[in-house]
Amino acid sequence: MTTENEDTKRAVAYLRVSSTMQKDNESPDTQRAKIIQYAAANNIEILTDGWFFDEAKSGKNTDRQHLQNMLKFALAHKDKIDHVIVYKMSRASRDAMSYMIGIKHELLKKGITIRSATESFDDSPGGQFMELMHIAIAEFDNNTKRE
C-alpha cells in the first residue's frame, strides 16, 4: 500500500520466535497482526519486502540471520525507512548490551528508530528509559528462567 501523504512513515518489521513450539500470544501470526495494526494506527507503511522472521532463535544476542538481514536492509535503505517495528521489545533482544550495541546503535546512526507494536514508548527521555526497561525486563526474565 503506497500513499501520497507526506506524513506517512515507512518501516520494516522483525518477528522472532524462540522455539517452534511458541504459539498463541507470540506466534508469528499474532506478531504480524499486531505489527500491521500498530502501523495502520500510526500512519506507517511497512515496505512489501520489509518483513524479516527468525524462527527458533534466542534473543540473547544479535547472531540471528534474519535480524542481521533486516539490519543490513534497513541501513542500505535508510532514506526510505523511518522505523523498525517489533511485536514487543523481547522479540528484538533479551540482552541489554547486545541490543544497545548491535541493534539500537546501528539503527540510530542512520536515523532509524525502533518501535514496539504492544509497548508504549517514544524518543523522549522518559520514552528512552521505558524502551530500555522493556529490554531489561526481558533480560531479567531470560536469566531467571535459565536459573
Side-chain angles (χ1 to χ4, degrees):
M1 165 178 93
T2 304
T3 177
E4 299 298 319
N5 186 343
E6 289 182 20
D7 294 333
T8 298
K9 301 292 183 183
R10 289 179 179 73
V12 295
Y14 177 74
L15 298 82
R16 180 184 67 81
V17 293
S18 54
S19 77
T20 55
M21 301 298 289
Q22 197 162 8
K23 302 287 181 204
D24 302 323
N25 64 335
E26 291 185 352
S27 71
D29 290 341
T30 298
Q31 290 182 45
R32 181 179 287 270
K34 287 289 187 184
I35 289 170
I36 290 170
Q37 181 181 24
Y38 173 85
N42 289 280
N43 201 28
I44 300 171
E45 175 188 349
I46 300 173
L47 300 180
T48 305
D49 53 352
W51 288 90
F52 298 86
F53 171 55
D54 275 312
E55 185 174 14
K57 297 293 179 183
S58 170
K60 293 183 291 187
N61 58 54
T62 59
D63 188 25
R64 292 172 258 151
Q65 179 182 352
H66 295 288
L67 173 68
Q68 291 302 317
N69 291 345
M70 181 274 299
L71 289 169
K72 287 176 189 169
F73 181 88
L75 298 177
H77 297 89
K78 65 181 179 6
D79 296 334
K80 297 179 185 177
I81 297 172
D82 301 290
H83 308 295
V84 168
I85 306 173
V86 295
Y87 169 70
K88 66 182 191 177
M89 295 307 293
S90 68
R91 302 300 84 206
S93 183
R94 287 183 165 272
D95 180 79
M97 187 68 72
S98 66
Y99 172 72
M100 290 302 293
I101 294 169
I103 300 173
K104 176 116 176 145
H105 177 72
E106 293 301 313
L107 293 172
L108 278 180
K109 286 191 306 189
K110 302 297 183 182
I112 301 169
T113 59
I114 192 160
R115 296 290 183 252
S116 168
T118 60
E119 299 157 327
S120 181
F121 61 86
D122 57 25
D123 297 324
S124 70
Q128 292 174 36
F129 173 77
M130 289 307 301
E131 176 183 0
L132 292 177
M133 285 301 299
H134 291 301
I135 296 293
I137 290 166
E139 182 174 357
F140 175 75
D141 179 60
N142 203 53
N143 291 341
T144 302
K145 287 177 183 176
R146 190 173 34 219
E147 280 186 355

